[in-house]
Amino acid sequence: MQFIDLQKQYQSLKQEIDEAILKVLNSCDFIMGQEVQELEDSLAEYVSRKYCVTCANGTDAISLALMAYNIRPGDAVFLPTFTFYATAEAVSLCGATPIFVDIDEETFNISTTSLQEAIRKVLDDKKLTPKAIISVDLFGLPAEFDSINQIGEKYNLLIIEDAAQGFGGAIRGKKACSFGNISTTSFFPAKPLGCYGDGGAVFTDEKSVKDTLESLRVHGKGANKYENVRIGRNSRLDTLQAAILQVKLKAFKEYELLQRQKIAAIYDELLNNVLKTPQIPPHYTSSFAQYSVLLKSEIQRDELQKKLKAHGIPSMVYYLKSMHQQSVYNNNISVEWKFPVAEQVSQKILSLPIHPYIETGHVEKICEIIIEELKR
Ligand SMILES: *Cc1c(COP(=O)(O)O)cnc(C)c1O
């Protein structure tokens, strides 16, 4: 059994994907071919943002968003400590300081209470200027944007949505990648919408920000690539990946997202009596990038993972270490603070196989093994 079965997905979409790839090969328009613009239009329409600017990966997408708003040394950027490293790394790359914030114990997303505490501490400290919040849609569930937007307004902070895992999620029908001032996503193969290599995108409703992003991703170009008006980078999405993503986006919209949610519902029903299943608040929709459950203790989690492995069932721990526990941030000002929820969750969490092509029989088998193990 695969944790995420890309092979099955490819077999199911093979004909269309092969055709899309061949078309690009025949055109030899490998950089910024027409598929890139077409994909950007489809993505912007799907998430209801005015503009989409694709780029080389989800980490660059965050970097480009920070660069577009001129985030720089001396600036503080708040983000959940319980996330993939790229969220923090992008902040450090632009010279700003990531400020880590504890998470909510139900959703695993940034805690708005801890967020406000962190902002006040940085303001009191007077060494850094609070500039932005990066809220992560962890495991596919959008962060609590109603409150986050209010906090952003109160303290005049830019809101960046890191929807690398969130693509397809929603709040009251409003889609992920449309929250906050600017949103980013990743098309890494294992994400809800993945390509066949690296890829990413930034979403904005502001024409001037879109123009800046388009300049930034091509060496800070002006009228053309050989006129350079700012320090940018080389971060385009390949035409081949755009062509593949067009096919995959269609499948995602038509059935893949629904299928993920159906699988999650089966897990919910079979497991909710024996462990803590993902808590999706009312009016929220998760794209279930991961189906992550909470066990009672680290020992129970590790035992269960061993048992599943013995049955050939892969499972993952996202994330063993939060950002404040990473050695790279030993000297960060916020690592001295307390992160009780993130530390508890990282000891008890386990992500089970979920993807649109998993057989329901397999899901039932996984649940049987879990129930048997937890009854012992
Ligand atoms: C995957 C991921 C990223 C980075 O995306 P890449 O395309 O791998 O660079 C950023 N943030 C989060 C939360 C992620 O899960």
Side-chain angles (χ1 to χ4, degrees), residues 57-59 62 83-84 86-87 136 162 164-165 186 188 191 199 319:
N57 56 68
T59 310
I62 305 170
T83 182
F84 177 60
T87 318
V136 177
D162 176 358
Q165 302 176 15
S186 162
F188 183 81
K191 308 281 169 156
Y319 296 94

Side-chain angles (χ1 to χ4, degrees), residues 144-165:
E144 212 186 303
F145 280 100
D146 290 347
S147 311
I148 293 166
N149 287 338
Q150 278 175 12
I151 295 168
E153 263 170 45
K154 180 170 169 191
Y155 294 99
N156 193 24
L157 302 174
L158 171 77
I159 312 265
I160 301 172
E161 178 193 14
D162 176 358
Q165 302 176 15

Side-chain angles (χ1 to χ4, degrees), residues 44-311:
E45 193 197 335
Y46 178 69
V47 307
S48 302
R49 277 277 197 198
K50 283 201 186 126
Y51 308 106
C52 168
V53 177
T54 53
C55 61
N57 56 68
T59 310
D60 278 9
I62 305 170
S63 288
L64 292 168
L66 292 164
M67 288 167 87
Y69 283 94
N70 202 21
I71 305 296
R72 58 187 163 188
D75 292 345
V77 179
F78 301 84
L79 58 106
T81 188
F82 192 66
T83 182
F84 177 60
Y85 175 50
T87 318
E89 187 184 33
V91 174
S92 301
L93 272 169
C94 70
T97 303
I99 302 292
F100 306 126
V101 177
D102 206 359
I103 54 165
D104 179 87
E105 59 190 344
E106 297 297 319
T107 63
F108 312 140
N109 280 328
I110 195 165
S111 152
T112 50
T113 316
S114 304
L115 173 61
Q116 300 202 63
E117 281 169 22
I119 295 169
R120 276 187 233 113
K121 277 191 216 166
V122 171
L123 283 171
D124 287 347
D125 193 48
K126 294 189 168 65
K127 290 197 188 77
L128 297 167
T129 315
K131 277 286 174 69
I133 301 166
I134 307 182
S135 41
V136 177
D137 301 338
L138 203 73
F139 303 145
L141 179 69
E144 212 186 303
F145 280 100
D146 290 347
S147 311
I148 293 166
N149 287 338
Q150 278 175 12
I151 295 168
E153 263 170 45
K154 180 170 169 191
Y155 294 99
N156 193 24
L157 302 174
L158 171 77
I159 312 265
I160 301 172
E161 178 193 14
D162 176 358
Q165 302 176 15
F167 192 85
I171 305 175
R172 277 178 241 102
K174 185 172 159 56
K175 291 237 161 59
C177 293
S178 73
F179 300 115
N181 302 91
I182 189 164
S183 311
T184 65
T185 196
S186 162
F187 303 124
F188 183 81
K191 308 281 169 156
L193 177 65
C195 60
Y196 288 165
D198 280 304
V202 189
F203 298 86
T204 175
D205 290 321
E206 310 251 350
K207 172 76 161 62
S208 61
V209 174
K210 173 225 183 208
D211 291 342
T212 306
L213 290 166
E214 286 182 341
S215 163
L216 284 169
R217 77 172 161 187
V218 188
H219 307 286
K221 76 180 171 81
N224 64 64
K225 183 161 111 178
Y226 303 102
E227 192 207 1
N228 308 95
V229 297
R230 53 170 67 80
I231 307 292
R233 47 206 308 162
N234 176 5
S235 186
R236 293 166 296 229
L237 181 73
D238 292 348
T239 310
L240 273 170
Q241 300 300 347
I244 291 161
L245 279 165
Q246 279 185 318
V247 177
K248 296 240 243 168
L249 177 62
K250 202 164 133 259
F252 185 87
K253 287 197 277 197
E254 283 173 8
Y255 60 89
E256 282 191 355
L257 177 60
L258 289 169
Q259 196 54 32
R260 273 177 186 278
Q261 289 161 345
K262 234 170 96 182
I263 298 299
I266 299 175
Y267 273 130
D268 282 348
E269 194 188 323
L270 296 176
L271 295 179
N272 76 50
N273 286 328
V274 292
L275 44 68
K276 188 161 181 184
T277 53
Q279 304 294 301
I280 311 300
H283 314 300
Y284 279 63
T285 312
S286 176
S287 61
F288 289 101
Q290 302 295 341
Y291 188 88
S292 305
V293 299
L294 272 193
L295 283 303
K296 286 208 176 71
S297 66
E298 188 169 15
I299 297 170
Q300 193 189 45
R301 191 265 312 275
D302 294 350
E303 288 292 316
L304 176 62
Q305 190 170 31
K306 257 190 246 156
K307 173 87 169 221
L308 288 168
K309 192 169 176 217
H311 282 85

